[in-house]
Amino acid sequence: MLWYLYSISASLLFTGMVLCTRYLGNKGFSAKQILLFLLGFAFLELLIINTGTLSNIWQSEQFPWFLVIITIAGIFAVIGNWADFTAVIKAPNPGFVGAIKTSNVLLITFAAVLIFGSSFSFIKLLGVLLIIAGLIALIVEKKNTSVQQAKKSFLKRWEVLAVIGALSFTVMVLEVKKASQMGFSSSQINLFLFAFNFLAFVLLCRKEIKNYFRDKLKLKVFLPIVFLAATFSVMANIFNVKGIAMAPNPGYHESIKNTQFLLTTLLSVPLLGAGLTKKKLLGVVMVLGGVIILVI
């Protein structure tokens, strides 16, 4: 299977996951609660998938170094997931978060050139400029707010959270690329990543876990959707790691995968009643144009 088919598949599956997440956010569920259950279901699914290969993982000579890499990737994945899911719930349209997150393509592409000797053409700088222009259209707002008020709410803004998520996922992708070069499979890498994330969110949600199970009516709505989101996530992440491993530059894979933000942006309007102005749509299209230039 060609690397970009994995990228396209990951993009479509991530779209499904994001829409499920926003739907649950609209129903009043928090990002931490959604992530706790999503990661738990996903971890169990990956454990089943990897049942026959667990002994091979432990016996590998590379396992100690693999654990170090996965721990670094896991820490940044926890930060990225929390920031990203919170931004998806807060943003006027969840697709905007994906558009901002796609800016990590720039960092990944250039970092991959320096770290892995991946390919890059300076003609692609046009793509970089388009992405930057599109991000400005998405982020900049014409609102009269005081400087003091802006400072207080800075870290709570969905745009800031989306940027934090993008930077965190940049580090995670580069670490995943290292892990894949050590001979570990996509499902094995994801098993350890999800295990790390699940344990982290169990600790973060330890005081609220009991409350999550009290409302039986809400659970009937919540559990099927979050299980569906987890299944989308497992499949998407398996294809994602395969794409990262096989692409000539992991930034090219991220470019294609991140086009899910356009589909998410458009589908969120009729399905979730999300907002979409002409300026924001222009920003999304410009980012997509820059991404395409980076890939071709």
Side-chain angles (χ1 to χ4, degrees), residues 127-296:
V128 172
L129 295 175
L130 265 178
I131 290 174
I132 293 172
L135 291 174
I136 291 172
L138 279 170
I139 294 173
V140 174
E141 296 284 354
K142 292 182 179 179
K143 290 183 179 180
N144 295 320
T145 55
S146 67
V147 175
Q148 188 176 2
Q149 184 179 355
K151 285 181 180 179
K152 286 183 179 179
S153 60
F154 181 73
L155 290 176
K156 294 182 179 180
R157 292 174 57 181
W158 71 266
E159 305 100 314
V160 177
L161 290 168
V163 171
I164 292 172
L167 294 174
S168 299
F169 285 131
T170 298
V171 179
M172 187 203 74
V173 167
L174 295 173
E175 293 301 314
V176 165
K177 179 70 173 180
K178 288 181 185 178
S180 68
Q181 289 178 334
M182 298 170 70
F184 293 93
S185 71
S186 172
S187 60
Q188 290 170 344
I189 293 170
N190 275 297
L191 173 65
F192 280 84
L193 268 179
F194 274 87
F196 188 99
N197 274 256
F198 178 54
L199 289 174
F201 277 94
V202 166
L203 292 174
L204 289 171
C205 300
R206 63 188 182 280
K207 294 181 180 179
E208 298 99 337
I209 288 177
K210 288 184 180 179
N211 294 329
Y212 294 160
F213 290 95
R214 285 179 180 171
D215 194 330
K216 304 300 181 184
L217 291 176
K218 278 192 171 184
L219 277 178
K220 287 182 180 180
V221 175
F222 178 72
L223 289 179
I225 302 299
V226 80
F227 179 77
L228 179 62
T231 303
F232 281 141
S233 179
V234 168
M235 296 172 64
N237 277 285
I238 288 174
F239 288 140
N240 184 42
V241 174
K242 284 183 178 291
I244 291 171
M246 294 174 63
N249 186 313
Y252 298 168
H253 158 77
E254 286 294 298
S255 298
I256 296 176
K257 183 203 76 177
N258 285 341
T259 56
Q260 58 90 10
F261 69 79
L262 180 59
L263 188 58
T264 303
T265 300
L266 298 177
L267 288 176
S268 294
V269 177
L271 294 179
L272 302 172
L276 179 62
T277 64
K278 290 182 180 179
K279 176 190 171 186
K280 300 296 187 187
L281 179 59
L282 176 62
V284 168
V285 172
M286 290 174 73
V287 172
L288 177 62
V291 164
I292 292 172
I293 290 174
L294 278 179
V295 176
I296 60 175

Side-chain angles (χ1 to χ4, degrees), residues 23-81:
Y23 174 81
L24 291 173
N26 287 352
K27 293 293 182 181
F29 297 101
S30 69
K32 283 201 303 183
Q33 182 179 0
I34 296 168
L35 275 165
L36 175 67
F37 283 84
L38 186 153
L39 292 166
F41 281 132
F43 171 64
L44 289 175
E45 291 177 18
L46 285 163
L47 193 60
I48 294 170
I49 292 171
N50 287 282
T51 300
T53 66
L54 289 176
S55 59
N56 296 332
I57 301 174
W58 317 132
Q59 293 170 7
S60 172
E61 294 180 357
Q62 300 273 27
F63 183 66
W65 181 234
F66 171 73
L67 274 183
V68 173
I69 291 174
I70 286 298
T71 299
I72 297 171
I75 290 170
F76 283 94
V78 169
I79 298 170
N81 278 319

Side-chain angles (χ1 to χ4, degrees), residues 115-137:
I115 298 172
F116 304 114
S118 300
S119 61
F120 180 74
S121 169
F122 284 101
I123 297 176
K124 297 182 186 296
L125 285 175
L126 175 60
V128 172
L129 295 175
L130 265 178
I131 290 174
I132 293 172
L135 291 174
I136 291 172

